[in-house]
Each structure stands twice: as C-alpha cells, then as structure tokens.
Amino acid sequence: MALKRTLRSARLSDAPVSHLAEDAVVHTPIKNGRNPPRHLGTVVKSTENDTTDNPLTPPKKAKLQAKSVKLKTEVSNSIPLERPAGPHSTNAPLKTPRGSRLITDVPETADSSPSTTGIPRPITSTSRILDQACAHLIKADPRLQPLIEKHQCRLFSAEGLAEEVDPFQSLCSSIMAQQVSGAAASSIKKKFIDLFREGADTTQSASESFFPSPTQIAPCEVSFLRGAGLSGRKAEYIKGLAKKFVNGELTAAILISASDEEIMEKLTAVRGLGLWSVQMFACFALKRIDIFSTGDLGVQRGMAAFMGKNVQKLKANKGGKWKYMSEADMLQHSAKFAPYRSLFMWYMWRIEDVDVAAIENT
C-alpha cells in the first residue's frame, strides 16, 4: 500500500490542468510500472511541465524528472497536518506556477537512498518527526535538552510543515535580498510585484499573495525588471531563474524528488545562488531536516560556544572565515546529530541569539 505525502521560503543570499476537475489527481507511474489505486484519483499524464501557455521553448527533459516518483496535484485550500515525512524529504507542500499544490505518494517499501552520512531515509509523519528529531539530538548529546525545552522549533512542527511554499517566489526573493537590508529587500519586492500587476488577471493580481509567474518574467527585458530597483546583475539572475522554471530545468517535482545532494548540485548551478543560499532554501523553504551549513557564521559561533570556546575572544582574532571553528571540526562534531542536522543547526543559532526571521519570512 502506498503512503501519500503532500509536498512543499527562506532568504537566500548568494490534458492541461484547465481540463481537470479541481479534485482531480495527477500521477506518474510508480517503480513497478503499475498505475496507483483507482481510489486515489483520475490517472492522467502529469502536467507539471505542460507549456501550452509558454512563450518560450518546450521543456527539456531534466535527468531528475526521469525518477520514478508518484506525483499528485490538487487545487484544495486545505493541507492535512498529518502526512508522511522524512529527514531527506521535501516536507513542505510546494505550489506550482499554475497555483496548484504538488503532492507525492511514496510506497512503504520504497528503497530510499542513504545520504552521504550513510543513514537511510526513515519514513515517519509530520506530527512525529520533530519529537523524534529532538529525542535523537538529546540522545546524541544530553547537554542540548535544556535548550530544546526552552525553545520550541515551530519550523519543523506539524503546523510549520503545513505551510505552503512557492519555490520560484522564494528563490527570487532570496536574490532580491542579497547584500541589502531587510527593509530595502521588502521595498524592491513590492515594486517588482507592482511591475506585473497591471495587465494581470484582476482577481489574481489583487491577491496579497500575488507574485508574477516564471512565464510572465522570462520574456521581460532586463531594463524592465530593473524598474523595481534591482541591479542589472540581479535582474539577469531573476530572468535566468525564470527561464529555468519555464523550460523545465527546475520544477516543483524536481525539488521534491531530488536527494539533498542533487538539490545542492541543481540549484548552485543557477547564476545568483551560492551554496549557503541553497542550503538555507533547502532548510527553511523545502523543510529538509538534515541540512547543515558550515559556512554560516551564526552556526559557527553557536557551535564554538556549545563546545565551550570563548566566542568573544575568538571574535577579536583575525581568523578569517573559520575563526570560530574549522570546517573539519564542525563536520566532525555535527555528524552524530544526523539525520536531523537542520534542527541541530537551528539550536546552534539559538545559542547565539541569531535572528533567523529574515530567512524564514523571505
């Protein structure tokens, strides 16, 4: 029997659907080639990359799209709190460019590939994964218990995992926010949205959640995008990102089916997105729970303090990028917290009172 998993923003610095009923279900075949049970919905060809309204070229067949994953698209407003989840899964519901929500079904007996830590992907649920992760962290190092009891991590709670994310909007927002203040980033984003409100569907553009789609942005001139206050380079990055979503190099389906390592490889290949940016996206937007960033200064400081080092003294030293803790030491000491290193990282930020709201709310 197949388990059903509903699939899903963060700041990052560096037949067509219209032919389906609203309760229709879109599936791709599972590994054994059989169609899913009839009670799950109408079996049709996946329309995730349908380009009937696409002004650019037809989608390319990306390697990751060939993976054997059962996908389900729905247009319901409700997101169930109780869904399958896993440390190496995209645990957030992802919004597609057409406004539907992408869901994937995973067989209970699926042979999940291990991460680079060698730990297999367990299947649990959105209501249990945070408790299991906290228990694992405390077992690995009991000194974390007071910190965990003091700070509730909503990010990976059932409620947090039910928050829908538009991956394209999240990635665009991260590019806009690079090397500017939070207030400046918000102003640029508002102006950017306003560029596309005129001429857009009245109902859609009036919505507070309106954000232009990849097909709206991709054909635009860089000079037009710069009207929002973007630099020429950032405008080029956003236009390039839109093209990748339009031609199928990036899709919600890919972001769901890819491994942690494939997510890093696929997104760092996009101009304007560095490794730290992609790691934050994977953690805060996709809600993947075994992401660990050695390049984050707040995580470095938190780990150094947690290991008993004098952070203030280290701060005064000219140690360069790794002045608080070496990358090798960070990897070594964090290994025991796998496969829940995103949660461990979140608590390292708490130790140093790092404000991650700007990342969570992008």
Side-chain angles (χ1 to χ4, degrees):
M1 181 176 67
L3 290 177
K4 291 184 287 185
R5 181 172 58 188
T6 304
L7 291 138
R8 174 174 150 159
S9 174
R11 175 193 170 195
L12 313 175
S13 64
D14 313 273
V17 169
S18 59
H19 295 172
L20 302 177
E22 286 199 347
D23 59 350
V25 180
V26 179
H27 292 280
T28 57
I30 56 178
K31 286 187 177 181
N32 58 15
R34 293 176 298 179
N35 286 327
R38 301 299 300 179
H39 71 273
L40 291 180
T42 306
V43 179
V44 298
K45 182 179 179 181
S46 173
T47 58
E48 171 64 19
N49 292 311
D50 180 69
T51 54
T52 47
D53 60 346
N54 201 334
L56 301 184
T57 56
K60 297 177 182 179
K61 296 295 182 181
K63 290 182 180 179
L64 293 180
Q65 290 174 300
K67 284 191 170 184
S68 206
V69 176
K70 285 172 57 184
L71 299 178
K72 183 170 75 175
T73 301
E74 61 176 26
V75 195
S76 168
N77 289 326
S78 61
I79 300 174
L81 292 179
E82 181 68 13
R83 295 172 286 114
H88 300 287
S89 302
T90 290
N91 295 305
L94 296 188
K95 183 179 179 181
T96 70
R98 291 181 179 82
S100 57
R101 183 183 308 125
L102 196 61
I103 299 172
T104 189
D105 296 349
V106 179
E108 288 181 1
T109 56
D111 181 18
S112 299
S113 300
S115 68
T116 52
T117 63
I119 299 174
R121 306 175 183 178
I123 294 179
T124 180
S125 73
T126 51
S127 65
R128 299 196 302 267
I129 194 167
L130 179 58
D131 288 341
Q132 292 172 349
C134 288
H136 178 82
L137 264 57
I138 292 170
K139 182 178 180 181
D141 196 323
R143 293 178 299 166
L144 283 170
Q145 185 165 354
L147 188 66
I148 291 173
E149 291 175 348
K150 182 179 178 180
H151 299 282
Q152 170 69 25
C153 180
R154 186 183 182 281
L155 180 67
F156 299 119
S157 67
E159 294 75 18
L161 297 180
E163 293 176 351
E164 186 178 71
V165 164
D166 180 340
F168 175 69
Q169 178 179 346
S170 177
L171 291 169
C172 284
S173 298
S174 72
I175 293 173
M176 294 177 191
Q178 291 174 10
Q179 300 177 333
V180 297
S181 67
S186 297
S187 176
I188 291 171
K189 185 174 181 179
K190 182 180 181 302
K191 291 176 182 177
F192 186 83
I193 292 171
D194 287 343
L195 289 176
F196 293 88
R197 284 193 186 276
E198 185 177 351
D201 176 82
T202 305
T203 304
Q204 180 190 34
S205 62
S207 170
E208 290 185 4
S209 62
F210 171 74
F211 192 85
S213 69
T215 54
Q216 289 175 295
I217 296 173
C220 294
E221 297 291 338
V222 169
S223 58
F224 174 78
L225 301 179
R226 292 191 65 184
L230 291 167
S231 67
R233 181 166 294 181
K234 285 186 180 181
E236 289 175 359
Y237 291 163
I238 290 174
K239 179 180 173 71
L241 178 66
K243 286 184 175 180
K244 287 185 179 293
F245 272 86
V246 167
N247 66 25
E249 289 183 60
L250 289 176
T251 66
I254 287 175
L255 297 175
I256 286 169
S257 63
S259 68
D260 294 338
E261 294 78 15
E262 288 167 334
I263 290 286
M264 299 300 132
E265 179 183 357
K266 195 77 176 174
L267 290 181
T268 54
V270 178
R271 289 183 65 213
L273 297 177
L275 179 59
W276 180 86
S277 300
V278 176
Q279 289 170 334
M280 295 303 104
F281 173 74
C283 175
F284 287 97
L286 301 183
K287 304 292 177 64
R288 291 189 173 229
I289 308 184
D290 195 32
I291 303 298
F292 186 69
S293 176
T294 59
D296 187 279
L297 205 58
V299 177
Q300 283 186 39
R301 289 201 308 267
M303 282 196 72
F306 184 65
M307 300 302 296
K309 297 185 177 183
N310 188 328
V311 174
Q312 292 304 316
K313 184 177 180 180
L314 292 171
K315 185 178 181 180
N317 293 337
K318 294 182 179 180
K321 183 178 180 181
W322 309 106
K323 64 181 177 182
Y324 294 105
M325 201 168 185
S326 72
E327 183 174 30
D329 284 347
M330 290 179 74
L331 291 172
Q332 178 185 343
H333 291 297
S334 65
K336 62 184 177 183
F337 300 107
Y340 303 107
R341 288 174 295 177
S342 296
L343 184 64
F344 172 69
M345 183 167 65
W346 191 87
Y347 280 111
M348 293 303 97
W349 280 317
R350 297 281 72 75
I351 288 177
E352 281 296 292
D353 293 322
V354 175
D355 183 9
V356 295
I359 305 175
E360 292 177 316
N361 297 328
T362 300

